[in-house]
Amino acid sequence: MALPSTVATLTPRPVAVALPVLPVKKAPSTLAYRVTATTYWPEVGQTDDNPMETADGSIIPRRHSSKTRWLAVSRDLLAHWGGPFSYGEKVRVSGMSEALDGIYIIHDTMNRRHRHCVDVLVNEQECKNGMEGRWSGIQLRKLGPEPTWQAG
């Protein structure tokens, strides 16, 4: 005896799937970089043929010193070449010395042979009095935007 043939029809039905919701990690607003730092003063042997003009077009003051707080960075650190910093940006430098640590403004670019380096602007007399040097493992920290205050 033969069995009757039956056709089964299945219809899809929605199924609820619970996925865990993980918090999104935000990148820190200020990033720190480890760099090598050196000092320089504007003379043709350490810069280009126009030593008093920086890469961003600023003119180094005649009576500059380490208190001027200007910084040259290697190209790999500049936004133009894919880095995190731009001309005119303020950065905190720490790990060199009590006299040189502090907040600097990026105004200049180092020679293309340098990588992950910064150059601190000083005057020649300061270097002769012991400020000349090379420091490894210096922390370079990007400063966030300054708050704007409004009367409320």
Side-chain angles (χ1 to χ4, degrees), residues 45-71:
Q46 294 188 37
T47 62
D48 58 11
D49 57 351
N50 189 3
M52 298 306 280
E53 185 176 353
T54 63
D56 71 349
S58 300
I59 303 298
I60 297 173
R62 286 189 66 194
R63 296 181 180 258
H64 72 278
S65 71
S66 60
K67 291 178 179 39
T68 305
R69 300 295 188 185
W70 285 17
L71 197 66

Side-chain angles (χ1 to χ4, degrees), residues 54-150:
T54 63
D56 71 349
S58 300
I59 303 298
I60 297 173
R62 286 189 66 194
R63 296 181 180 258
H64 72 278
S65 71
S66 60
K67 291 178 179 39
T68 305
R69 300 295 188 185
W70 285 17
L71 197 66
V73 298
S74 56
R75 293 174 189 232
D76 63 319
L77 295 174
L78 280 173
H80 183 75
W81 286 279
F85 301 105
S86 299
Y87 292 125
E89 229 173 352
K90 290 183 180 180
V91 295
R92 178 175 300 281
V93 176
S94 54
M96 289 191 299
S97 71
E98 192 174 306
L100 293 174
D101 287 355
I103 296 174
Y104 286 82
I105 300 173
I106 298 173
H107 281 286
D108 213 348
T109 307
M110 297 175 73
N111 187 292
R112 71 182 74 223
R113 72 178 177 268
H114 297 289
R115 295 282 180 262
H116 240 57
C117 296
V118 298
D119 237 351
V120 176
L121 178 68
V122 296
N123 68 32
E124 187 175 2
Q125 191 62 40
E126 287 175 317
C127 280
K128 289 179 180 175
N129 291 335
M131 276 196 175
E132 186 172 28
R134 179 181 178 87
W135 300 268
S136 300
I138 302 307
Q139 188 177 66
L140 183 66
R141 182 175 294 277
K142 192 176 213 178
L143 294 183
E146 295 183 15
T148 55
W149 300 100
Q150 296 179 2

